[in-house]
Amino acid sequence: MSDLRAQAEDWLAQDPDPDTRAELRAILDAGDERALAARFGSRLEFGTAGLRGELGAGPNRMNRVTVMRAAAGLAARLPRGGRVIIGFDARHGSRRFADDTAAVLGGAGLRPEVFAEPVPTPVLARFVRAHADVVAGVMVTASHNPPRDNGYKVYWADGSQIVPPLDAEISAAIDAVGRVDELPLAGSWTVHRDTGDYVDAVSSLRLGDPGDLSIVYTPMHGVGRDVLLEVFERAGFPAPAVVPEQADPDPDFPTVAFPNPEEPGALDRALAFAGALPGGRRADLVIANDPDADRCAVAVPADGGWRVLTGDELGGLLAEHVLRHTSGDDRLVATTIVSSSLLRSIAAKHGVRFAETLTGFKWIMKAGGPPMGSGESSRHGRPARLVFGYEEAIGYSVGDDRGVPVNDKDGIGAALAAAALAAAARRDGRTLLDLLDDQAREHGLHATSQLSIRVQDLSLITSALGRLRAEPPARLGGRAVERFDDLSQGVDGLPPTDGVRFRLAGNARVVVRPSGTEPKLKCYLEVVHPVDDDIAKVRARAAADLDALRADLSAALR
């Protein structure tokens, strides 16, 4: 423990933040060894998702020292004189972290620019891609994490998140950084005030005509509202009604227990508002973004209440919509190994290319390059044109015949596409639920679900995966395991990743992996049923199958 105290004293001596200095001094004075070990016993790892963690003092927390070290490591990997754009959301500390990043990058001989106000993550990603002289971008955000967290995402010159080995190179450069109070710092930098690159690109998506839908929208106390309303107006769509209590950015997210539209209860206020609009009307569509607006959730009226579409359901519907509004056999659609296999079938129907990637949008955005995994990202020597990519965790990149406008997931572009899709369905006398049934009849019902196990001790995730690798179950959910893949060894031409996959008899699949952003073990379940009977009965059978898989997997992971 004396070594941890020495590390803490060294940290105190260089920390420029009076709040974290006071926190750490109180821990030292109280002799709180557990709190000290939690902050100095390990450190936040800089990986392909950058940094993300709880705010506080020490290398295992997000704070100004951690951010300045990350900026110095990034600067070491960038060409001197390069232009770097920095965005930030409305979370606690985000603006300060953005300014610290600019000071360090400027002191290292780069040309930093910081957005004047909080912006959605896809705005930052689009700016990097749209300007040829921008060598990198930084987004200070923890996306949908709890209020106590913050994070740090790095984008390379193509506007997509970094992938190996670049993340390891930056991490090594961070490790080589000395004391932050000895870093040269710039006293000023350019302030950027224009979101026009993004608004122009997304509002001009050619995905159908606006309708007369009544739409309710929640930014979930995040930064998406103003940009989304501008995009809808520029695209000619009616302005959504914004949930009043969740309209303004608030880093404490006071009306939701967890600011993630996927979480149970997160949409309750939006659904209540949508069910009681002025004049006794009810909305036709509910759209939610997460706090940095890179994810999108959709709910529709159903049986007197509301049905929230899963990420896979909306992904399949948006894919068909995009492919109906685009042309060319060079089109590519891409998804991840944990998302529904439905997209492969949709791609085959439309005669377009398909790619399956590792989890995360950083990989989806690379799918248009050299062939990877089990996809067909290029053939006959012709480059693929990515028009749609999605992951089951409500992340979508929606494009048109010009390709995708943002090289990352984009919750505002997805919201616009969902509105266009719903308007087109209504003109045909259909609903999104009708379209889901149509897809199931044509491609089979691809039913998906998840099992998430949140832990306090990350070693529990490692040990659970170790048990599955050492003794894979022979049956899950009453189905024989026909194939077991240890994803850490690399399968189907994909790079190695931590996780395992089970292929089951009767066209079912299970993937187990650690979350990349939260202390969770995540299990992804899929069963596929042909629809040769009443579709409600098929859905009930599929739900029972998923329940059986979930029960067996829970037992196997104990």
Side-chain angles (χ1 to χ4, degrees), residues 131-327:
H131 295 266
D133 62 336
V134 173
V135 297
V138 172
M139 183 67 195
V140 181
T141 179
S143 189
H144 57 278
N145 276 39
R148 64 180 181 274
D149 290 359
N150 214 324
Y152 196 88
K153 297 170 72 170
V154 174
Y155 291 80
W156 219 235
D158 64 351
S160 62
Q161 293 184 60
I162 58 173
V163 298
L166 186 54
D167 59 331
E169 295 169 1
I170 295 174
S171 183
I174 293 172
D175 290 342
V177 174
R179 293 171 61 98
V180 299
D181 57 347
E182 296 175 354
L183 291 171
L185 303 177
S188 62
W189 44 85
T190 301
V191 175
H192 189 78
R193 301 182 184 277
D194 185 12
T195 59
D197 289 310
Y198 175 84
V199 172
D200 289 347
V202 176
S203 63
S204 64
L205 282 170
R206 300 164 186 157
L207 292 174
D209 299 323
D212 59 352
L213 295 177
S214 172
I215 300 174
V216 160
Y217 168 70
T218 175
M220 206 153 288
H221 299 295
V223 297
R225 178 194 60 193
D226 293 347
V227 176
L228 181 138
L229 291 178
E230 185 176 1
V231 164
F232 269 60
E233 181 181 10
R234 290 275 296 276
F237 281 69
V242 182
V243 178
E245 306 97 319
Q246 298 176 336
D248 295 325
D250 188 327
D252 293 317
F253 309 110
T255 68
V256 288
F258 203 104
N260 180 356
E262 291 183 289
E263 291 289 325
L267 296 184
D268 285 356
R269 294 214 177 208
L271 300 180
F273 180 67
L277 294 176
R281 295 178 299 117
R282 185 161 89 148
D284 303 304
L285 191 69
V286 173
I287 296 175
N289 285 144
D290 67 339
D292 70 327
D294 65 350
R295 302 184 188 216
C296 177
V298 164
V300 294
D303 300 325
W306 295 91
R307 162 90 179 275
V308 181
L309 302 189
T310 69
D312 283 320
E313 288 174 333
L314 184 57
L317 293 180
L318 290 179
E320 292 258 45
H321 186 72
V322 169
L323 292 175
R324 284 194 296 267
H325 286 81
T326 55
S327 60

Side-chain angles (χ1 to χ4, degrees), residues 11-21 64-65 68 100 180:
W11 189 278
L12 273 175
Q14 59 180 304
D15 188 353
D17 189 332
D19 292 335
T20 46
R21 285 202 312 271
R64 294 182 64 186
V65 175
M68 293 171 76
D100 283 337
V180 299

Side-chain angles (χ1 to χ4, degrees), residues 17 55 62-64 67 88-100 140 147 149-151 251:
D17 189 332
L55 293 164
M62 282 295 298
N63 50 66
R64 294 182 64 186
V67 165
F88 58 96
D89 66 11
R91 284 179 175 268
H92 293 295
S94 287
R95 184 184 292 269
R96 178 69 265 176
F97 293 161
D99 287 346
D100 283 337
V140 181
D149 290 359
N150 214 324

